């Protein structure tokens, strides 16, 4: 997807294109293998990054990219071959070097929630291979989207951690 000038952000989560499950992604349990949830979440993030101006063109022309520093996926309901999927992305927060996102994977026609992914991404100077601040024009785009997304109710599950339930 080519990167273009960012449109005025809307007060709604980013909606990625509807995706289809690929047959080789189905595991011996008959559902989408856990690894491919991450593939689909990553494809949705790539779409948002292109809108923010930090996709493949940015890497080639300006030498910047993002790396995922942390990821927490929750698997809530099975997805099967033939199920259309749409991913919604909230840009929850950002600073000069980091992006905090939350994604929901939903059945595209029935609307039910299948999985969520919460991520922290780092902006990288690819020449130095080090974390670096976003350029001012990109920071402005990110701030506009973060502001628009802050007007949207927060989905359930943000900030969850992995732990055994407390014994009573």
């Amino acid at each position: 997807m080519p990167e273009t000038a960012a449109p005025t952000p809307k007060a709604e989560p980013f909606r990625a294109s509807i995706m289809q499950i690929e047959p080789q992604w189905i595991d011996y349990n008959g559902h989408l293998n856990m690894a491919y949830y991450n593939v689909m979440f990553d494809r949705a993030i790539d779409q948002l990054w292109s809108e923010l101006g930090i996709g493949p063109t940015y890497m080639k022309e300006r030498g910047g990219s993002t790396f995922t520093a942390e990821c927490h996926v929750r698997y809530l309901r099975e997805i099967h071959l033939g199920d259309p999927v749409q991913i919604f992305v909230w840009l929850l927060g950002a600073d000069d070097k980091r992006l905090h996102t939350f994604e929901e994977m939903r059945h595209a026609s029935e609307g039910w929630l299948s999985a969520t992914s919460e991520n922290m991404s780092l902006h990288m100077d690819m020449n130095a291979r080090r974390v670096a601040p976003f350029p001012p024009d990109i920071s402005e785009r990110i701030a506009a989207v973060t502001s628009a997304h802050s007007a949207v109710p927060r989905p359930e599950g943000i900030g969850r951690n992995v732990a055994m339930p407390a014994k009573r």
Side-chain angles (χ1 to χ4, degrees):
M1 174 181 289
E3 294 169 34
T4 59
T8 302
K10 298 177 185 176
E12 61 185 33
F14 173 79
R15 292 172 181 245
S17 301
I18 294 175
M19 297 179 242
Q20 297 295 320
I21 307 302
E22 297 183 20
Q24 66 273 19
W25 296 353
I26 301 299
D27 65 19
Y28 56 83
N29 294 313
H31 60 208
L32 183 63
N33 179 273
M34 64 174 284
Y36 295 102
Y37 283 83
N38 284 312
V39 169
M40 297 182 87
F41 283 129
D42 192 50
R43 288 180 177 178
I45 285 293
D46 282 346
Q47 289 179 30
L48 176 58
W49 278 192
S50 287
E51 284 204 9
L52 290 173
I54 56 173
T57 302
Y58 175 71
M59 207 285 285
K60 289 176 190 166
E61 294 178 359
R62 298 176 71 178
S65 191
T66 61
F67 287 3
T68 301
E70 187 171 345
C71 177
H72 179 165
V73 178
R74 294 185 309 144
Y75 306 95
L76 305 169
R77 184 169 171 183
E78 294 175 299
I79 288 282
H80 299 95
L81 187 62
D83 287 336
V85 170
Q86 187 166 37
I87 296 173
F88 298 80
V89 185
W90 285 257
L91 185 51
L92 300 176
D95 63 18
D96 63 333
K97 300 176 185 177
R98 295 176 294 189
L99 300 168
H100 180 196
T101 57
F102 188 84
E103 300 162 76
E104 288 185 342
M105 178 183 292
R106 292 189 171 273
H107 190 282
S109 58
E110 297 175 10
W112 46 263
L113 183 61
S114 173
T116 67
S117 182
E118 187 169 4
N119 300 276
M120 185 65 67
S121 299
L122 304 175
H123 180 254
M124 302 295 293
D125 174 332
M126 294 303 289
N127 295 315
R129 303 294 280 197
R130 293 190 172 272
V131 177
F134 289 102
D137 62 315
I138 299 299
S139 289
E140 288 176 21
R141 289 183 190 182
I142 290 168
V145 172
T146 303
S147 177
H149 287 190
S150 72
V152 179
R154 294 297 195 232
E156 188 278 323
I158 294 172
R160 297 269 311 250
N161 62 6
V162 177
M164 295 296 292
K167 292 185 179 185
R168 294 178 186 221

